[in-house]
Amino acid sequence: MTASPATRTPGLRRFLTQRPPQPERCELCAVAVEAGHRHLVDTEKRALVCACAPCALLMEQPGAAAGRFRTVPARYLTDPGHRLDESAWEALQIPVGVAFLFRNAALDRLVALYPSPAGATESELEPATWTDVLGGSRLAELLEPDVEALLLRRTDGRFECHLVPIDICYELVGRMRLLWQGFDGGAEARAALDAFFADVARRVRPLGEVGHP
């Protein structure tokens, strides 16, 4: 049997086999990282960066890398004593059922984003509105700029508000962009959204149970 030109040529043979997936790597030291690894916020590029555990711990130290990289905290908090209602949601002028809010330290302003088929879409948020609706809450007081967000959801007359790592908010944006179909997102996107918030509900700890969050 005569071999094909491709299999006779070692240099071309590599294209006939599927390449194994490449492991994710720490973007500071290049070591391979496991699934569920930590992230940093690159405050200059406004981007999330994968990090190994040692680099994440290093960047938690005050003054590390001149403040360029900030480790995303792992805490999930909720405040049973603070409830949103319909009037608060209307005041925030969020046009969809899910949004996350964070403080951009470089721009010195609050930012509200929500998932959409096009990715993360920004919604205007007046500082006075933030103060009226969320400014007096304990979660807002604890919110770390750039690396944490207040994750809000309205569904069937119920309102949720949690303090979460900001990387999971962008994870949600990615999922919705991938799964969204039609006008309302479709059944698969809604199921993914429910599963995402069920996981958040399992992780959050009430402020009363947290001594020093």
Side-chain angles (χ1 to χ4, degrees), residues 99-148:
F100 60 97
L101 291 69
F102 71 99
R103 180 178 295 280
N104 185 315
L107 300 178
D108 191 26
R109 69 180 180 91
L110 298 159
V111 177
L113 298 171
Y114 57 87
S116 78
T121 300
E122 184 169 345
S123 178
E124 293 291 334
L125 181 61
E126 295 294 333
T129 302
W130 164 272
T131 300
D132 291 342
V133 177
L134 294 163
S137 73
R138 294 176 64 195
L139 293 181
E141 294 174 358
L142 293 169
L143 188 65
E144 291 285 339
D146 299 318
V147 292
E148 291 182 323

Side-chain angles (χ1 to χ4, degrees), residues 3-168:
S4 69
T7 55
R8 285 199 305 265
T9 308
L12 298 178
R13 192 173 296 138
R14 66 181 188 275
F15 295 114
L16 299 180
T17 58
Q18 188 174 5
R19 291 185 177 183
Q22 297 298 310
E24 289 189 279
R25 295 189 176 279
C26 174
E27 295 181 58
L28 295 190
C29 70
V31 69
V33 293
E34 301 288 340
H37 56 268
R38 303 287 298 275
H39 289 104
L40 314 174
V41 171
D42 183 337
T43 59
E44 290 186 4
K45 295 184 177 179
R46 309 303 311 162
L48 286 173
V49 174
C50 297
C52 63
C55 286
L57 289 173
L58 177 63
M59 293 304 153
E60 287 180 343
Q61 306 306 311
R68 173 177 172 179
F69 296 103
R70 298 193 60 202
T71 302
V72 176
R75 62 182 181 176
Y76 291 69
L77 301 174
T78 194
D79 182 3
H82 182 263
R83 300 291 182 188
L84 293 178
D85 56 20
E86 194 67 41
S87 62
W89 196 271
E90 290 179 2
L92 291 171
Q93 297 184 337
I94 299 172
V96 294
V98 175
F100 60 97
L101 291 69
F102 71 99
R103 180 178 295 280
N104 185 315
L107 300 178
D108 191 26
R109 69 180 180 91
L110 298 159
V111 177
L113 298 171
Y114 57 87
S116 78
T121 300
E122 184 169 345
S123 178
E124 293 291 334
L125 181 61
E126 295 294 333
T129 302
W130 164 272
T131 300
D132 291 342
V133 177
L134 294 163
S137 73
R138 294 176 64 195
L139 293 181
E141 294 174 358
L142 293 169
L143 188 65
E144 291 285 339
D146 299 318
V147 292
E148 291 182 323
L150 294 184
L151 179 64
L152 312 181
R153 187 186 193 193
R154 177 181 65 177
T155 178
D156 299 328
R158 295 178 60 249
F159 298 86
E160 298 177 56
C161 177
H162 309 296
L163 186 154
V164 299
I166 199 165
D167 51 357
I168 73 155

